[in-house]
Amino acid sequence: MKTKISSIALSIIFLGLADCKSSDKDDGYRLWLRYDQIENESVLNDYKQIIQNIIVTGESPTIFAAREEILYGLSALFGAEVPVNKEVKEGCLLIGTPESSSVINGYFKGDTISAIGNEGYSIFSTQSEGYKITVITGNTDVGILYGVFHFLKLLQTRQSIAELNIASKPGIQNRLLNHWDNLDRKVERGYAGFSLWKWNTLPDYIDPRYKDYARANASVGINGTVLTNVNANAQVLTPEYLEKVAALADVFRPYGIRVYLTARFSAPIEIGGLRTADPLQKNVIEWWNNKAKEIYSYIPDFGGFLVKANSEGQPGPQNYGRSHAEGANLLARAVKPYNGIVMWRAFVYSNEEPEDRAKQAYNEFKPLDGKFEDNVLIQVKNGPIDFQPREPFHPLFGAMEQTPVMMEFQVTQEYLGQDIHLTYLAPLYEECLHSDTYAKGTGSEVFKVINGSLFNYNETGIAGVSNIGDDRNWCGHPIAQANWYALGQLAWDPEAASQEIAEEWIRMTYSNNQEVIDTMLKIMMISREAGVNYRTPLGLHHQMAWHHHYGPGPWIKDKPRADWTSAYYNKADETGIGFDRTKTGSNAVSQYFSPLTELFGNIETCPEELLLWFHHVPWNYKMKSGNTLWEELCMKYYQGTDQVREMQTKWNSLEGKIDDERFKHVQSLLKIQVRDAIEWRNACLLYYQTFSKMPIPEKYEQPDQTLEYYMKVDRKYLPGS
Ligand code: BDP
């Protein structure tokens, strides 16, 4: 018994999580895996009645991780050690696969539990030899680990565990984070400090944080991580760095996480000494084949490559007159013998191309459908421009029948207030996933494209551009952790509801107090729409400041690249505002299936939230509300600032109901957010007013600064750019 106690004590120290228990202090390090002791006596006693002892069967690093987590989690939640047994007794929590536990095997009569697949789990209450027991099982050790996290979540969110009958498996195979981390530890569009990966001290020093990162990911089912920036540095493919990558892979492996790297297309030249990177040249093919072999000698379960090619200055196959398919296939063939995949990004556009930027990716990739190796996935951002507060779904979803298309969401809030504004992103993800593409008629939602069910894809995937850095609380804004959590939950179940995800997260991360839950839910669920309203309502997009993308810049024009200016997108003039993407304009509507082409293409039927995305609309156009467009625009901007003030008032009501540390942190950030929202609103309206020549209705508080003032705001040294 003594050894058991000390092993639990040891694991608590080892997990590095024992340091922030006090209820008025919480630095956010523990994320949603806080496991604070359950205060409600009757709930606690019920749980203790059901779980009196534990058996974990099996031997593997993953089972060890699962055992460590459940022992740590239960003892912390119960405030007392839960004994580890060898034989099933009353109140046993029995954990293992049918192979590792003969008792569990008995329930399946020797069969594997096929319905839950390779990564799923089943949790059920049952009887064994007259004893009431609870079983967590799966076909694989990683399924067990996921089941353990789910079980702990039930306790963390205070659900009944008396009559459990749960079966769950992921809806998507490849569930990844994309880190836009550079080797110098700066993070592109990262706002939460430096990169977690301490390249200078790897592989010798293993920061304990690597393991906590893996635990957090495994707890939401994320099973892959791309360590490096899409704007890639070939150095990471050299032996010096591969050794470091291998050390990280070793930490992540027990948690079911594979590592991936970004491949710089010109690597054969830069680190290989070749004179070309032409994908059809024999020596280039050989170089990549050898490179893959070398990588797998360091990391036997290396996941594969993520590639940004011929976009925003990155090299690619088109430098040699070759297609994206030829480029992707080169890398795909190199990693195929080792079961690696290639995620080839469709975020491809060029300012030399006169075509509407929103159309370019589709034009490039649609004709290549079916021309890719079967281990290539095309990674597509949710919308056709670039992670804007609101975009229609990308028309490539539904357009590629023979080539798997995977989702890329942005978790880091590049255009949504970075680490300063409170923005819960799951409603944005949900809106996109539930958009109907009509690819095969009604009911062809985006989630059915990416879970592979619409076209029977052989590989499926979803990636989130990470918001994680070395800030103590990982994500900068305390609430931004919810976006990491939500990405994982939606990757596991792309049909999950954003509100339910938020509720779970609040319960685990803040409190099970109903008032706290209700208040935080209201704040979180309104936050994305508020962010749209005070930045770019009614389908406006890309109106941010040059370079750092934080504040407003609707006036940005006459820059070297027109497609990086705001004027390119707002097309504001005296006749109206908005981008004509109908037949009379760029005809981007034609890239959607009917009836969307007609619906978006007709000013009368286009959803008003996307109106200015698809139409150039006269200032006095009558909206459904009866307002003119100008009045409606004013209304939306003012609604946005009102919503943020409402968020602020609600948050203030939480004082004393959650820990003071995070309460004050969010409170301070909301003050900045209110100020910024007003700046966005005033700056945009004053600028558009120079064309509409109409007054901001008197009922609204009038801007207290001039347009010139806002145009002179010059934010220096913002992180992430
Ligand atoms: C844009 C970012 C830029 C990224 C690019 C990408 O501003 O930093 O490199 O996307 O996704 O949103 O490649």
Side-chain angles (χ1 to χ4, degrees):
M1 188 54 85
K2 272 220 160 93
T3 45
K4 290 279 149 47
I5 294 169
S6 62
S7 80
I8 289 173
L10 224 159
S11 68
I12 293 172
I13 295 163
F14 194 48
L15 291 163
L17 301 170
D19 53 345
C20 23
K21 281 254 153 151
S22 138
S23 54
D24 59 349
K25 261 183 91 56
D26 191 324
D27 62 12
Y29 181 82
R30 295 175 300 163
L31 296 157
W32 47 89
L33 301 175
R34 292 160 83 235
Y35 306 139
D36 277 350
Q37 192 179 332
I38 297 166
E39 281 163 2
N40 183 315
E41 286 287 329
S42 91
V43 173
L44 184 58
N45 288 337
D46 284 353
Y47 286 163
K48 282 184 169 170
Q49 185 70 29
I50 296 167
I51 306 300
Q52 300 176 22
N53 53 77
I54 304 185
I55 299 180
V56 185
T57 61
E59 291 289 331
S60 75
T62 300
I63 288 295
F64 179 75
R67 179 186 291 131
E68 186 178 54
E69 195 72 31
I70 195 76
L71 289 179
Y72 169 68
L74 280 184
S75 61
L77 284 159
F78 286 6
E81 186 206 356
V82 182
V84 176
N85 271 359
K86 286 230 157 63
E87 277 170 23
V88 173
K89 293 201 178 123
E90 180 67 18
C92 178
L93 176 61
L94 175 61
I95 302 175
T97 60
E99 282 74 50
S100 67
S101 158
S102 56
V103 176
I104 294 178
N105 197 25
Y107 292 103
F108 303 105
K109 301 185 183 61
D111 295 340
T112 52
I113 334 137
S114 51
I116 56 171
N118 277 337
E119 292 179 296
Y121 53 83
S122 165
I123 308 176
F124 56 93
S125 315
T126 184
Q127 301 246 346
S128 174
E129 294 175 14
Y131 298 128
K132 280 193 189 155
I133 67 167
T134 307
V135 173
I136 303 179
T137 188
N139 291 312
T140 58
D141 292 350
V142 77
I144 302 279
L145 179 67
Y146 293 149
V148 158
F149 278 114
H150 187 112
F151 183 75
L152 287 167
K153 175 163 80 179
L154 297 175
L155 305 187
Q156 289 174 280
T157 56
R158 309 292 188 261
Q159 297 183 52
S160 166
I161 54 166
E163 298 294 334
L164 294 175
N165 186 13
I166 295 171
S168 182
K169 67 170 184 181
I172 293 178
Q173 292 165 292
N174 299 290
R175 308 177 297 279
L176 283 85
L177 284 182
N178 287 182
H179 288 266
W180 286 358
D181 293 16
N182 295 322
L183 299 183
D184 65 3
R185 298 194 63 215
K186 285 194 185 140
V187 182
E188 180 152 341
R189 311 308 175 186
Y191 313 101
F194 285 97
S195 168
L196 284 184
W197 325 132
K198 296 182 172 163
W199 296 109
N200 289 338
T201 49
L202 279 165
D204 302 296
Y205 173 59
I206 302 298
D207 188 331
R209 214 166 170 166
Y210 301 151
K211 178 172 161 182
D212 284 333
Y213 165 84
R215 291 176 54 238
N217 278 328
S219 76
V220 289
I222 287 170
N223 66 358
T225 179
V226 183
L227 299 175
T228 46
N229 192 352
V230 286
N231 297 316
N233 183 336
Q235 285 305 317
V236 78
L237 303 178
T238 60
E240 185 193 346
Y241 277 90
L242 290 176
E243 215 188 331
K244 299 168 192 284
V245 173
L248 288 173
D250 289 344
V251 181
F252 302 159
R253 189 170 297 112
Y255 291 88
I257 299 164
R258 296 167 90 180
V259 301
Y260 299 73
L261 293 172
T262 45
R264 186 159 161 91
F265 203 77
S266 51
I269 304 172
E270 286 154 16
I271 58 167
L274 304 192
R275 293 174 60 182
T276 175
D278 181 345
L280 301 191
Q281 289 287 321
K282 203 163 160 265
N283 55 350
V284 174
I285 297 170
E286 264 168 22
W287 189 87
W288 279 109
N289 289 346
N290 289 334
K291 184 48 75 182
K293 191 169 174 198
E294 186 184 13
I295 296 173
Y296 281 92
S297 74
Y298 284 91
I299 311 144
D301 57 350
F302 178 66
F305 293 125
L306 169 65
V307 189
K308 171 175 177 178
N310 293 119
S311 170
E312 299 184 334
Q314 293 299 302
Q318 293 180 332
N319 297 25
Y320 307 95
R322 314 296 184 196
S323 72
H324 281 280
E326 286 166 320
N329 291 342
L330 163 79
L331 298 178
R333 287 180 196 126
V335 295
K336 196 182 265 182
Y338 317 95
N339 295 321
I341 58 169
V342 168
M343 293 160 290
W344 193 269
R345 296 178 87 225
F347 182 67
V348 166
Y349 66 102
S350 156
N351 63 320
E352 278 144 32
E353 168 71 55
E355 185 63 282
D356 174 6
R357 174 173 162 190
K359 290 179 72 182
Q360 293 182 30
Y362 179 100
N363 289 348
E364 196 75 59
F365 283 88
K366 171 75 184 154
L368 298 176
D369 189 16
K371 302 221 161 77
F372 293 90
E373 290 287 334
D374 60 8
N375 57 336
V376 176
L377 295 104
I378 305 301
Q379 183 167 314
V380 181
K381 289 189 181 182
N382 57 283
I385 296 290
D386 187 11
F387 298 137
Q388 292 300 296
R390 170 165 282 123
E391 300 195 25
F393 70 88
H394 200 299
L396 277 172
F397 295 111
M400 307 284 276
E401 272 194 50
Q402 298 167 64
T403 311
V405 166
M406 66 181 278
M407 175 65 73
E408 178 177 315
F409 283 129
Q410 198 173 40
V411 187
T412 190
Q413 294 166 225
E414 177 179 357
Y415 300 102
L416 280 146
Q418 305 186 349
D419 68 330
I420 299 175
H421 292 198
L422 191 164
T423 318
Y424 175 52
L425 293 172
L428 182 162
Y429 305 156
E430 188 178 37
E431 180 177 293
C432 174
L433 291 167
H434 286 271
S435 298
D436 200 339
T437 68
Y438 293 94
K440 284 185 158 183
T442 314
S444 309
E445 293 91 345
V446 171
F447 75 81
K448 290 183 189 154
V449 176
I450 65 160
N451 73 13
S453 63
L454 198 68
F455 299 130
N456 281 321
Y457 289 159
N458 61 320
E459 282 281 347
T460 56
I462 179 168
V465 179
S466 149
N467 61 350
I468 302 162
D470 73 348
D471 273 9
R472 179 69 189 160
N473 73 1
W474 305 84
C475 303
H477 197 298
I479 307 293
Q481 297 175 354
N483 296 331
W484 176 7
Y485 182 84
L487 189 275
Q489 294 296 329
L490 284 166
W492 186 274
D493 175 10
E495 287 179 76
S498 61
Q499 170 139 348
E500 277 163 34
I501 296 173
E503 173 164 351
E504 255 177 32
W505 178 81
I506 295 165
R507 284 177 177 275
M508 290 195 276
T509 318
Y510 280 83
S511 170
N512 280 289
N513 173 308
Q514 200 55 47
E515 199 184 328
V516 173
I517 296 166
D518 292 345
T519 308
M520 285 190 69
L521 259 184
K522 285 193 188 118
I523 295 172
M524 287 169 72
M525 292 308 291
I526 203 185
S527 61
R528 183 271 183 140
E529 203 59 39
V532 171
N533 287 338
Y534 64 72
R535 288 187 187 86
T536 45
L538 301 178
L540 284 170
H541 49 290
H542 207 292
Q543 298 300 291
M544 65 286 171
W546 183 252
H547 205 52
H548 57 69
H549 300 172
Y550 180 77
W555 45 79
I556 304 285
K557 58 177 180 202
D558 302 331
K559 295 279 187 186
R561 284 191 69 147
D563 57 355
W564 285 356
T565 67
S566 306
Y568 176 98
Y569 299 96
N570 65 43
K571 303 263 190 278
D573 60 21
E574 299 200 349
T575 67
I577 184 169
F579 199 123
D580 183 0
R581 295 196 163 104
T582 69
K583 272 191 227 143
T584 54
S586 77
N587 204 18
V589 291
S590 67
Q591 294 181 336
Y592 291 93
F593 287 91
S594 185
L596 291 181
T597 309
E598 300 78 26
L599 191 95
F600 291 153
N602 180 342
I603 193 168
E604 297 296 327
T605 57
C606 182
E608 288 191 344
E609 58 189 28
L610 292 173
L611 190 65
L612 305 180
W613 185 283
F614 288 114
H615 297 268
H616 190 260
V617 182
W619 293 111
N620 56 8
Y621 176 77
K622 270 267 179 299
M623 303 290 289
K624 294 198 179 78
S625 62
N627 284 335
T628 64
L629 171 67
W630 170 251
E631 287 163 347
E632 189 86 354
L633 209 53
C634 292
M635 191 269 278
K636 285 283 172 191
Y637 274 105
Y638 279 88
Q639 194 179 19
T641 48
D642 286 350
Q643 284 166 322
V644 183
R645 285 184 174 128
E646 194 185 323
M647 286 160 59
Q648 187 179 37
T649 311
K650 290 209 158 69
W651 185 265
N652 287 341
S653 77
L654 292 175
E655 184 157 22
K657 299 191 179 95
I658 60 170
D659 60 282
D660 223 34
E661 189 169 2
R662 290 180 299 173
F663 170 77
K664 290 215 170 96
H665 191 176
V666 175
Q667 186 184 44
S668 310
L669 294 177
L670 276 165
K671 277 190 200 145
I672 308 178
Q673 186 168 355
V674 169
R675 216 162 58 211
D676 289 346
I678 293 171
E679 180 189 340
W680 263 97
R681 178 195 76 196
N682 291 352
C684 291
L685 283 177
L686 288 171
Y687 176 73
Y688 303 141
Q689 192 180 41
T690 62
F691 303 102
S692 80
K693 314 241 189 288
M694 294 175 184
I696 295 173
E698 262 173 36
K699 59 181 173 187
Y700 299 124
E701 65 185 7
Q702 298 294 306
D704 53 354
Q705 301 287 355
T706 61
L707 176 60
E708 291 62 44
Y709 168 88
Y710 290 116
M711 288 176 74
K712 280 198 195 116
V713 173
D714 183 14
R715 292 185 163 83
K716 293 197 170 68
Y717 313 121
L718 285 192
S721 7

